[in-house]
């Protein structure tokens, strides 16, 4: 089922996600619906906050992107990122392993807005899978960027929070417009 993606101004986007302690049918269904929703919206990632559910659950799939490379390393061995897509991650923890780089970023909750965002170029991720497996891997390129963007969402952080005051200022008119449209009815 395709879920509604909430946009900037919706309070769920600022909520820190609860950890997922146990995977039940509802979590499995939510993850499947989030994958379907991400694909329908042609995104490379989606966090539970973006469908109005503040949980530590996100999905990522960079396999359809050809012009922005990604790399993935599991147990010290290089793995084709496409082989592990889509990723469904629960309670992910991320630590940077390389210096920062700047790249363009968008967000399904900010339709029409793109911005240059500076983030570590590579990260180490620890997360749980739906099957309860503990996953540890290293990622770089677009995949590292997408993972950090989603991990931020799970903690109520948005990509515009990484902008310089100056860049934020120039986006303010668009953000104001979005924010008014994104508020839930009655709020
Ligand atoms: Zn986003």
């Amino acid at each position: 089922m395709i879920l509604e993606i909430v946009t900037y101004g919706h309070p769920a986007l600022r909520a820190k996600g609860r950890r997922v302690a146990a995977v039940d049918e509802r979590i499995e269904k939510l993850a499947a619906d989030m994958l379907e929703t991400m694909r329908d919206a042609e995104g490379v990632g989606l966090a539970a906050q973006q469908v109005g559910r503040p949980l530590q659950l996100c999905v990522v799939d960079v396999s359809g992107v050809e012009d922005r490379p990604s790399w993935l390393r599991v147990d010290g061995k290089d793995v084709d990122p496409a082989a592990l897509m889509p990723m469904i991650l629960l309670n992910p923890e991320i630590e940077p392993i390389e210096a920062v780089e700047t790249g363009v970023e968008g967000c399904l909750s900010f339709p029409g807005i793109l911005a240059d965002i500076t983030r570590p170029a590579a990260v180490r991720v620890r997360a749980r899978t739906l099957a309860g497996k503990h996953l540890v891997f290293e990622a770089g390129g677009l995949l590292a960027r997408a993972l950090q963007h989603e991990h931020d969402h799970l903690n109520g952080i948005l990509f515009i929070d990484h902008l310089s005051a100056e860049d934020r200022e120039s986006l303010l008119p668009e953000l104001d417009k979005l924010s008014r449209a994104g508020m839930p009815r009655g709020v």
Side-chain angles (χ1 to χ4, degrees), residues 86-143:
M87 287 180 160
I88 299 172
L89 303 175
L90 306 175
N91 313 326
E93 288 167 24
I94 288 192
E95 59 176 307
I97 55 170
E98 279 185 16
V100 296
E101 65 178 15
T102 300
V104 69
E105 236 169 87
C107 177
L108 293 176
S109 295
F110 291 76
I113 293 184
L114 292 174
D116 282 328
I117 304 290
T118 300
R119 300 183 183 273
V123 290
R124 182 174 295 118
V125 178
R126 286 166 216 280
R128 246 185 72 171
T129 66
L130 274 185
K133 215 177 116 189
H134 287 278
L135 210 58
V136 183
F137 62 90
E138 290 164 355
L142 179 63
L143 179 56

Side-chain angles (χ1 to χ4, degrees), residues 43-108:
V44 295
L46 188 69
Q49 273 76 353
Q50 294 179 277
V51 293
R53 303 281 301 274
L55 288 170
Q56 297 276 329
L57 164 64
C58 65
V59 296
V60 171
D61 190 346
V62 296
S63 56
V65 182
E66 280 162 13
D67 55 344
R68 297 179 76 182
S70 297
W71 60 258
L72 181 63
R73 211 155 39 216
V74 184
D75 297 331
K77 289 194 193 89
D78 289 324
V79 175
D80 178 3
L84 262 91
M85 300 293 140
M87 287 180 160
I88 299 172
L89 303 175
L90 306 175
N91 313 326
E93 288 167 24
I94 288 192
E95 59 176 307
I97 55 170
E98 279 185 16
V100 296
E101 65 178 15
T102 300
V104 69
E105 236 169 87
C107 177
L108 293 176

Side-chain angles (χ1 to χ4, degrees), residues 19-57:
R19 284 178 70 82
V20 179
V23 173
D24 56 16
E25 276 173 25
R26 282 178 322 148
I27 295 289
E28 283 174 358
K29 169 87 167 94
L30 176 61
D33 287 346
M34 283 171 58
L35 274 182
E36 199 180 336
T37 304
M38 172 181 69
R39 286 184 179 133
D40 176 68
E42 297 180 354
V44 295
L46 188 69
Q49 273 76 353
Q50 294 179 277
V51 293
R53 303 281 301 274
L55 288 170
Q56 297 276 329
L57 164 64

